[in-house]
């Protein structure tokens, strides 16, 4: 099954960027709501690190999907457009 993996990594050093510190959990929650509302057959999975902290908050469409970087919990429209295309419902 296709899924959206959202990074929720919180680094111990606040001087280093991390997805959780920039809204990773909120993004996961909002994507779950939007995916449910759109009736997409996708799940949202929280993951401890996607290895792209400097570009975060990050998510990845899986399997074999692209990364979604610099996500903003207040502006997920572009991400949802890409997610809908990934789900085959664009």
């Amino acid at each position: 099954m296709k899924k959206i993996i959202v990074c929720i990594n919180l680094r111990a050093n606040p001087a280093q960027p991390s997805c959780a510190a920039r809204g990773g959990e909120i993004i996961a929650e909002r994507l779950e709501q939007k995916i449910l509302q759109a009736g997409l057959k996708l799940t949202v999975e929280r993951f401890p690190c996607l290895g792209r902290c400097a570009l975060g908050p990050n998510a990845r469409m899986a399997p074999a999907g692209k990364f979604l970087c610099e996500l903003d919990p207040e502006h997920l429209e572009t991400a949802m457009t890409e997610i809908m295309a990934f789900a085959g419902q664009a």
Side-chain angles (χ1 to χ4, degrees):
M1 173 179 245
K2 291 182 178 181
K3 59 187 168 183
I4 307 302
I5 303 168
V6 179
C7 181
I8 57 164
N9 182 38
L10 181 60
R11 291 185 172 197
N13 181 351
Q16 292 181 312
S18 68
C19 292
R22 292 180 275 173
E25 184 61 43
I26 295 167
I27 290 167
E29 290 172 7
R30 292 191 179 158
L31 286 177
E32 284 173 331
Q33 293 169 355
K34 291 179 178 297
I35 287 168
L36 183 65
Q37 289 170 350
L40 302 177
K41 294 184 180 186
L42 296 171
T43 59
V44 174
E45 178 181 316
R46 289 151 177 84
F47 197 75
C49 188
L50 293 175
R52 295 181 173 214
C53 298
L55 301 173
N58 300 296
R60 182 163 187 201
M61 298 179 278
K66 69 182 263 184
F67 277 90
L68 302 169
C69 301
E70 298 179 345
L71 294 173
D72 179 343
E74 301 303 320
H75 303 282
L76 294 172
E77 297 81 13
T78 301
M80 280 304 297
T81 299
E82 293 195 41
I83 289 168
M84 290 179 76
F86 176 69
Q89 301 199 8

